[in-house]
Amino acid sequence: NAGVMQNPRHLVRRRGQEARLRCSPMKGHSHVYWYRQLPEEGLKFMVYLQKENIIDESGMPKERFSAEFPKEGPSILRIQQVVRGDSAAYFCASSREQGADGNTIYFGEGSWLTVV
Amino acid sequence: ILNVEQSPQSLHVQEGDSTNFTCSFPSSNFYALHWYRWETAKSPEALFVMTLNGDEKKKGRISATLNTKEGYSYLYIKGSQPEDSATYLCASLTDYKLSFGAGTTVTVRA
């Protein structure tokens, strides 16, 4: 049973380009979360999605960032017009049910974005 | 407590010794407390999900306790081995969002 799969693992973008990070949740999981780890900081919540729905995007920057989890295919975190401050590790996680009442939330290995 | 805090930030343990460290979290709006083990360049590995006050969970030589009334959890490693070297993260779940502590980095010396 494959875990949470993220790609690419490493991505280099020039300032102003777009970055697309993909996440395939574990089999049977319909809840996806994105977290970001900025340099020298801990993991911070960005967005929580279910299939075709954004449930909570309170941790997403208001501009340039968007996320989707379509009916078919992986969840995508999209960053438009990247700036150096977007350089970070982006982690995707998934769970079978909403993360309350004791359900384990499983993490992928992360996608490292470097903006040059 | 407003944020999830872990202490100490790092510790060194002699192989074979036991150790423990703390996670403090806000006790209001508490749903669950998650522990993860994280090695560099790997995904955080889920260790425990704890929900009930007084909960104790065990996985091999690693165990954890939970006190939701006072807002703390302890993680214990018994008979530390070099492969236990990692950063241990705790996270409090409120409204389906995990709020992470900064982690305790454990280094086991042979």
Side-chain angles (χ1 to χ4, degrees), chain A residues 60-66 78-81 86:
Chain A
M60 291 265 278
K62 296 287 183 238
E63 297 177 349
R64 303 186 297 107
F65 284 71
S66 62
R78 182 183 178 204
I79 311 170
Q80 294 178 290
Q81 299 173 338
D86 297 332

Side-chain angles (χ1 to χ4, degrees), chain A residues 37-61:
Chain A
Q37 184 186 30
L38 292 167
E40 307 301 323
E41 295 188 19
L43 288 165
K44 295 286 195 298
F45 169 82
M46 297 183 75
V47 62
Y48 164 42
L49 311 106
Q50 295 179 27
K51 285 283 187 182
E52 300 185 276
N53 285 307
I54 298 174
I55 307 302
D56 185 329
E57 55 182 349
S58 59
M60 291 265 278

